[in-house]
Amino acid sequence: MKTYQVPCIYSGIHRSSKDFAIKTAVPGSKSITNRALLLATLAEGESILRGALFSEDSRCFLSCIQTLGFPVRMDERDRTVRVTGMGGRIPKEEASVYVGSAGTAARFLTAFLGMGGGRYHMDSSPQMKKRPMGSLLDSLRTLGATVEFEAEKDHFPFTISGNCIDAYTVTVDVGQSSQFLSALLISACRTGKEMTVRVEGDHGMAYVDMTVRMMEQFGMAVRKDGDRIYRIEAGASYRPRDYYIEPDVSAACYFYAMCPILGIPVTVEGVRKDSMQGDLQFLNILQNMGCGLLEKEEGLTLLPPKNRRYQGVTADMSACSDQAITLAAAAVFADTPTTITGIGHIRYQESNRLEAIVTELTRAGIRCESTEDSVTVYPGAVRPALIHTYEDHRMAMGFSLLGLRAEGIVIDDPLCCKKTFENYFEVLDRVVKESGVL
């Protein structure tokens, strides 16, 4: 599948007297799956992870921990992974691991391998080689790790050795990614000493809150002194778990955005208000645009705005920036402009997402204005366009929403979705078919 022609179903919905609705399921959370995999290796004994995501990113993480010598058993049909952890020890003292394009694997495993003994070569995809690692590597060097670069400083590939710990207080700048802080917190127990992590820079911290909550679920206490200091006690350890992984709220948001765009109710199975995933805040933004929300036993249901018309908003998306593209697509069909703020750091993700949003919406005839930290989208008539995805799964999924309401939207390289939601377009086709619109 080199391109995907998005089926335009909006006019069919509004010509019919039927009551249309969307109900679907999504895979397990990528963020929770990859955190749980690392926490399971740090525990002593076997953990069972249920509802796990199997995608390019999670398979890459699984391959890395297997390469390091951890026993792993997978059942993709049952969406279950069994991992035998070694209580903070790594079976192989030397190894070469390939993190692909997975940001969680790149950041979490770098800290994991750099906070204890051993020597490890780390390589990545060309895409990941462009993404920042310097802040995390600076923190690890403070702790005594040595890093030897093969090409550009502070970028993959490199060899990291965590020979000794020279300090137990470390500072990390999260301005480019909160994953740097999460990585240090998860593996801090490998030092065997009390660890204090001080935070610099500004970033949405929802994913750090998820990290801390999951660490506590696996038996590790984390103390916070205000918003800028985290402490892990000496001798703290993780316990193995039989652990359930929530449905991926990031994936669910593409379907929830269809609610205002198409003017129909949307339910995603298993999504709850008490989810620990930061992208749940995206539903608050859709409510501010005029949608309603119902909590049902089967999952959260989003209800369309009255008269199927909705207003633009000004939204700080620093805590749910993965949905900036999704909101930008929905903003096209609002009655008033939408300004998305707090997203300067998305320039450093799988693509320069801030630039990509402006480029591709402009290609589709939509006026945009951007600053270093924001983008404003003005409603307008969408013209047919081939949307470039920049090997970025969120560009492919987010911009597919345009084509559900406007004719002639074609997604280039739709298979880049394999990074987190490998059958997204199959699910989208099924949702359209089951709706009975086409």
Side-chain angles (χ1 to χ4, degrees):
M1 187 192 297
K2 294 184 179 179
T3 61
Y4 176 85
Q5 174 77 55
V6 184
C8 182
I9 61 176
Y10 181 76
S11 59
I13 288 173
H14 293 279
R15 283 196 305 263
S16 173
S17 60
K18 287 177 57 179
D19 291 328
F20 292 100
I22 288 173
K23 180 180 178 182
T24 191
V26 295
S29 165
K30 178 198 76 170
S31 299
I32 296 177
T33 295
N34 283 357
R35 282 167 173 78
L37 287 172
L38 185 55
L39 291 166
T41 69
L42 286 160
E44 184 76 63
E46 185 181 77
S47 291
I48 305 173
L49 311 180
R50 305 183 189 275
L53 171 69
F54 288 92
S55 70
E56 186 175 72
D57 272 15
S58 60
R59 288 191 180 95
C60 190
F61 208 118
L62 281 161
S63 176
C64 288
I65 64 176
Q66 287 176 299
T67 297
L68 293 169
F70 291 97
V72 176
R73 288 184 291 157
M74 294 171 280
D75 185 338
E76 289 201 29
R77 186 174 180 179
D78 195 41
R79 298 192 301 148
T80 299
V81 181
R82 296 173 182 265
V83 180
T84 301
M86 303 293 181
R89 303 180 305 279
I90 299 175
K92 294 185 180 179
E93 294 186 358
E94 293 190 12
S96 294
V97 297
Y98 179 76
V99 301
S101 298
T104 45
R107 280 69 181 264
F108 292 1
L109 292 173
T110 294
F112 180 57
L113 299 177
M115 295 180 77
R119 178 179 173 84
Y120 304 96
H121 180 260
M122 304 190 72
D123 202 355
S124 73
S125 70
Q127 186 188 65
M128 191 64 219
K129 288 174 183 175
K130 300 174 184 177
R131 298 177 67 181
M133 290 288 294
S135 178
L136 176 60
L137 293 171
D138 285 344
S139 299
L140 292 171
R141 282 188 283 257
T142 298
L143 294 171
T146 59
V147 188
E148 305 162 41
F149 298 99
E150 294 180 21
E152 186 178 355
K153 185 177 184 292
D154 289 337
H155 291 76
F156 288 99
F158 53 78
T159 298
I160 190 164
S161 304
N163 298 316
C164 60
I165 301 295
D166 292 336
Y168 296 101
T169 297
V170 65
T171 299
V172 64
D173 189 329
V174 298
Q176 293 178 324
S177 176
S178 67
Q179 288 178 350
F180 299 153
L181 174 56
S182 287
L184 292 170
L185 292 176
I186 290 173
S187 294
C189 63
R190 294 201 68 217
T191 67
K193 304 290 185 178
E194 179 173 312
M195 177 67 69
T196 299
V197 183
R198 300 180 183 274
V199 182
E200 292 184 348
D202 294 318
H203 199 289
M205 301 295 276
Y207 283 95
V208 175
D209 293 340
M210 173 195 288
T211 296
V212 170
R213 185 169 169 186
M214 289 186 66
M215 290 171 65
E216 292 170 344
Q217 288 171 341
F218 277 81
M220 176 73 67
V222 180
R223 289 189 290 129
K224 285 184 66 176
D225 294 344
D227 294 328
R228 293 283 172 173
I229 299 176
Y230 294 78
R231 302 185 194 278
I232 309 295
E233 292 183 0
S237 61
Y238 294 105
R239 297 189 298 270
R241 285 287 311 270
D242 189 325
Y243 191 79
Y244 169 71
I245 292 167
E246 299 176 2
D248 195 319
V249 173
S250 298
C253 286
Y254 301 109
F255 296 97
Y256 281 126
M258 295 175 194
C259 171
I261 290 172
L262 297 176
I264 60 177
V266 174
T267 303
V268 182
E269 296 175 8
V271 175
R272 310 290 178 196
K273 281 186 177 180
D274 63 354
S275 168
M276 70 175 99
Q277 297 172 66
D279 278 6
L280 196 68
Q281 294 183 34
F282 182 66
L283 297 187
N284 296 334
I285 296 172
L286 294 181
Q287 286 180 275
N288 290 338
M289 298 177 92
C291 293
L293 187 66
L294 292 178
E295 187 165 21
K296 299 182 179 179
E297 184 176 348
E298 59 195 334
L300 294 180
T301 295
L302 200 68
L303 302 175
K306 292 181 180 179
N307 302 318
R308 294 169 172 164
R309 300 179 68 89
Y310 56 98
Q311 300 298 308
V313 293
T314 296
D316 180 348
M317 298 193 75
S318 57
C320 55
S321 61
D322 276 349
Q323 299 310 318
I325 296 166
T326 319
L327 182 58
V332 169
F333 306 108
D335 286 343
T336 55
T338 290
T339 298
I340 305 168
T341 66
I343 55 171
H345 62 279
I346 71 173
R347 297 177 185 275
Y348 308 103
Q349 296 181 310
E350 282 85 342
S351 67
N352 181 337
R353 288 179 177 167
L354 192 53
E355 181 179 287
I357 288 170
V358 174
T359 300
E360 298 311 309
L361 284 181
T362 301
R363 191 189 309 279
I366 300 301
R367 177 188 166 198
C368 300
E369 296 174 356
S370 64
T371 70
E372 283 298 310
D373 192 49
S374 71
V375 63
T376 297
V377 178
Y378 294 86
V382 177
R383 66 186 179 213
L386 175 65
I387 301 298
H388 298 181
T389 54
Y390 310 90
E391 301 181 62
D392 189 337
H393 57 133
R394 302 218 178 274
M395 285 295 295
M397 292 185 283
F399 271 82
S400 70
L401 299 172
L402 289 183
L404 294 173
R405 181 155 170 172
E407 297 279 0
I409 296 298
V410 178
I411 304 298
D412 190 30
D413 187 25
L415 293 182
C416 66
C417 292
K418 66 183 182 293
K419 180 176 171 64
T420 54
F421 194 166
E422 57 191 11
N423 65 334
Y424 169 77
F425 287 101
E426 294 175 19
V427 174
L428 181 57
D429 282 339
R430 186 172 67 246
V431 164
V432 169
K433 181 179 179 180
E434 290 176 352
S435 72
V437 180
L438 298 180

